[in-house]
Amino acid sequence: MSEELHGTITIDEERIMKALEHAEEDAVQVREVLAKALELKGLNADEATVLMRIQSPELEEELFETARKVKDEIYGRRLVLFAPLYVSNLCANDCTYCAFRAGNKAVKRRALNYEEVIEETRILINQGHKRVLLVAGESYPKEGIDYVLKCIDTIYSVKSEWGEVRRINVNLAPLSLDEFKRLKERRIGTFQLFQETYHRETYSKVHISGKKRDFDWRITAMDRAMLAGIDDVGIGVLFGLYDWRFDVLALLQHNNHLEERFGVGCHTISVPRIEPAVGAEVSEHPPVPVNDRDFKKLIAILRLTVPYTGIILSTRENPEMRREALAMGVSQISAGSRTNPGGYHEEAYEMSQFSLGDHRSLDEVVEDIAHMGYIPSFCTGCYRLGRTGKDFMDLAKPGLIKHYCEINALSTFTEFLEHFASPITKEVGDKLVDKIVSEQPATRKERANNVVQKVRAGERDVYV
Ligand code: SAM
Ligand code: SF4
């Protein structure tokens, strides 16, 4: 084991390539795997591969239908919402697909000062957000990593009469073990980092210069994060760089490695697809674009393979794709997002990391989601009560987490409706809350109703 890396992970490329050589769909096998998936215990990599071979529209619909059932069974109607907060676009790396890459002269460089961080946070709080994802390029102002740590403290320090940010997740470049320990002290929620592609050759082609060229430093980051005591980590792939089937199977190997070493796998999986980005040619012509059909397939396969792991869909997808992806497996989405530092108080898009597929405000997204029958959730209860990492999974796997989540989702949604919603969203939302409360099983109905009534009467931050 390398001392600096604090771990090694070998993605077995040969095994994956072999599995993908046999492309024949086998209807009997597919149906056996789908039946197993309904037991809600997840699938192994071989079973996931069987599903990847699906070609016929009929079996594809069976796959989607099974994913919808599993999603509904485990997550019910709730959907977690968050906002990204880009604090800096300084970056020393050259990732061919990203607008923040060092060689891109079309983007003005900027790291928010702490007053600006406060300003951005206040706007998000006033829109109704409670969960923020802090994002930065891989180069920091002169304070180094302390800059990011101070940004976290700054965001948590902002209290407005409308509320506060209750959970900060971060999406940052890999850190050393000591830096992760310092990050842990900041009370972050999830540490997110995407491998982009697990295919080494492609990885080295698209990462031209800078520290990010080091595949092993990146892939071992989650080991260091977990050794530092960060329980919740989020992994992901940037789809479009290489064959999605390879990358999904490799991501599952990464997850298995974490499970074997730490007794718990990743908390979330993110599924961004490459979007056009200013000054980043590869983003206009992704090497292996993933079409909508395959994208839905991969979300459904992930849902069935790791049913208790959150799936995050970000800003980048348009409303139609989001709608379908939600039914199939996505459990968290970003809403009302800006992807440039200062983007919430300045409304300038030209410095954005990539072009957004969804320009709607949080209120519009909430209204749309509520119309579809989902409960938008701003809940941070588990994290604040220490239900993280293995403790979270131990509750989630036997289905216990549902008892908390549904009620907490209703509580935070009601809080949103009381303070931040437009009249039309409030009307739609209140009706939905009443309907969901009335449909709760007898064991939860009274508790759910009490929580909603307390929030409607003016109590805040009610969670179980
Ligand atoms: N700099 C850190 C890193 O690279 O890990 C964290 C911030 S970076 C902006 C966050 C993520 O943005 C990357 O991991 C990558 O997957 C995603 N990204 C970059 N360019 C993109 C594009 N053109 N379309 C969609 N996502 C993109
Ligand atoms: Fe920098 Fe991250 Fe963009 Fe790469 S993806 S150029 S590391 S901000």
Side-chain angles (χ1 to χ4, degrees):
M1 180 185 297
S2 150
E3 262 176 39
E4 192 206 6
L5 300 182
H6 294 279
T8 48
I9 309 171
T10 311
I11 297 298
D12 191 343
E13 290 200 4
E14 217 179 293
R15 185 170 171 197
I16 299 177
M17 292 302 192
K18 251 205 181 113
L20 295 178
E21 264 171 25
H22 308 283
E24 285 284 291
E25 171 186 280
D26 180 330
V28 175
Q29 267 189 347
V30 168
R31 291 194 172 111
E32 273 170 16
V33 172
L34 292 179
K36 183 177 171 204
L38 285 173
E39 293 168 18
L40 309 182
K41 295 198 179 92
L43 302 174
N44 61 35
D46 291 340
E47 290 157 344
T49 314
V50 167
L51 300 181
M52 286 176 180
R53 297 189 186 124
I54 292 178
Q55 288 299 332
S56 61
E58 195 190 345
L59 284 179
E60 196 173 84
E61 192 39 51
E62 287 179 38
L63 165 69
F64 293 162
E65 192 44 39
T66 311
R68 285 185 203 111
K69 278 191 192 146
V70 167
K71 163 91 197 292
D72 195 48
E73 186 61 37
I74 294 176
Y75 297 83
R77 305 300 288 171
R78 60 199 148 63
L79 178 69
V80 171
L81 297 186
F82 69 94
L85 201 171
Y86 281 67
V87 292
S88 159
N89 61 14
L90 310 185
C91 195
N93 295 322
D94 215 309
C95 311
T96 50
Y97 45 81
C98 179
F100 296 171
R101 66 191 184 82
N104 188 6
K105 302 277 178 264
V107 160
K108 259 198 243 144
R109 301 296 157 164
R110 168 174 193 190
L112 299 184
N113 61 39
Y114 302 116
E115 284 72 36
E116 290 170 322
V117 172
I118 291 174
E119 182 71 13
E120 293 279 287
T121 306
R122 200 163 270 143
I123 289 171
L124 292 175
I125 292 171
N126 290 345
Q127 287 173 2
H129 279 292
K130 301 282 184 278
R131 302 169 64 107
V132 159
L133 173 68
L134 180 150
V135 186
E138 185 166 5
S139 172
Y140 310 106
K142 58 179 183 322
E143 302 108 294
I145 193 65
D146 282 330
Y147 167 75
V148 173
L149 302 181
K150 223 170 146 190
C151 283
I152 295 172
D153 291 343
T154 306
I155 297 169
Y156 274 136
S157 75
V158 181
K159 310 272 178 225
S160 110
E161 64 172 303
W162 302 105
E164 66 282 306
V165 170
R166 296 175 186 161
R167 173 177 177 138
I168 304 174
N169 299 329
V170 298
N171 186 318
L172 287 177
L175 303 178
S176 68
L177 182 61
D178 284 341
E179 288 169 335
F180 272 125
K181 286 183 181 160
R182 299 185 61 211
L183 187 63
K184 156 86 183 162
E185 287 166 8
R186 260 56 223 177
R187 299 182 294 117
I188 61 154
T190 309
F191 176 78
Q192 276 188 11
L193 176 72
F194 313 150
Q195 190 62 25
E196 321 295 11
T197 174
Y198 287 90
H199 188 250
R200 268 182 195 266
E201 197 188 323
T202 306
Y203 186 93
S204 75
K205 273 191 207 148
V206 297
H207 299 111
I208 296 173
S209 64
K211 181 123 180 137
K212 193 159 166 183
R213 275 188 66 71
D214 189 341
F215 182 98
D216 293 301
W217 175 246
R218 195 167 180 92
I219 202 172
T220 51
M222 295 316 189
D223 288 64
R224 293 190 295 283
M226 288 182 127
L227 285 171
I230 296 176
D231 290 338
D232 289 347
V233 298
I235 60 179
V237 163
L238 181 57
F239 287 103
L241 293 177
Y242 192 62
D243 185 337
W244 66 269
R245 300 169 308 157
F246 178 96
D247 270 324
V248 168
L249 291 173
L251 176 137
L252 293 173
Q253 285 188 11
H254 191 179
N255 189 46
N256 284 346
H257 160 83
L258 296 174
E259 232 166 56
E260 277 163 24
R261 186 168 181 197
F262 299 100
V264 62
C266 60
H267 188 64
T268 56
I269 293 173
S270 295
V271 293
R273 277 197 292 188
I274 296 184
E275 290 293 327
V278 175
E281 250 173 60
V282 163
S283 70
E284 302 285 345
H285 308 283
V288 193
V290 178
N291 62 33
D292 286 358
R293 187 176 160 209
D294 284 341
F295 192 54
K296 284 192 276 176
K297 238 185 195 171
L298 79 85
I299 291 172
I301 292 171
L302 282 173
R303 182 68 300 137
L304 300 183
T305 308
V306 283
Y308 298 96
T309 305
I311 299 182
I312 304 181
L313 191 71
S314 61
T315 325
R316 299 137 177 132
E317 295 297 336
N318 66 35
E320 289 73 34
M321 174 49 82
R322 282 198 192 205
R323 233 168 258 148
E324 301 221 37
L326 295 187
M328 219 86 79
V330 166
S331 53
Q332 296 191 23
I333 60 167
S334 53
S337 310
R338 298 288 175 267
T339 60
N340 52 315
Y344 293 105
H345 68 281
E346 286 161 3
E347 291 286 335
Y349 293 123
E350 67 271 16
M351 288 187 338
S352 294
Q353 190 204 353
F354 39 74
S355 44
L356 301 176
D358 187 346
H359 302 279
R360 300 172 303 166
S361 68
L362 174 61
D363 184 73
E364 287 169 303
V365 173
V366 167
E367 186 203 332
D368 189 34
I369 288 169
H371 263 303
M372 289 190 276
Y374 291 103
I375 322 166
S377 173
F378 300 86
C379 179
T380 55
C382 280
Y383 145 80
R384 286 154 84 213
L385 290 169
R387 294 191 294 252
T388 57
K390 192 168 179 314
D391 293 343
F392 173 84
M393 283 301 173
D394 287 347
L395 280 168
K397 289 188 176 170
L400 295 174
I401 205 77
K402 237 183 162 180
H403 294 287
Y404 307 106
C405 294
E406 196 111 321
I407 294 178
N408 288 341
L410 286 167
S411 165
T412 55
F413 182 32
T414 306
E415 202 171 316
F416 178 87
L417 295 170
E418 292 298 305
H419 277 307
F420 307 102
S422 62
I424 172 86
T425 303
K426 177 146 172 52
E427 196 186 323
V428 177
D430 279 342
K431 265 193 206 143
L432 178 66
V433 169
D434 291 340
K435 179 170 175 284
I436 303 260
V437 169
S438 72
E439 287 168 1
Q440 291 296 303
T443 46
R444 282 208 294 271
K445 194 182 281 187
E446 197 183 326
R447 209 169 178 203
N449 191 43
N450 283 345
V451 165
V452 168
Q453 295 317 326
K454 272 188 194 170
V455 178
R456 284 183 177 161
E459 246 185 81
R460 294 292 161 259
D461 206 10
V462 183
Y463 58 98
V464 294

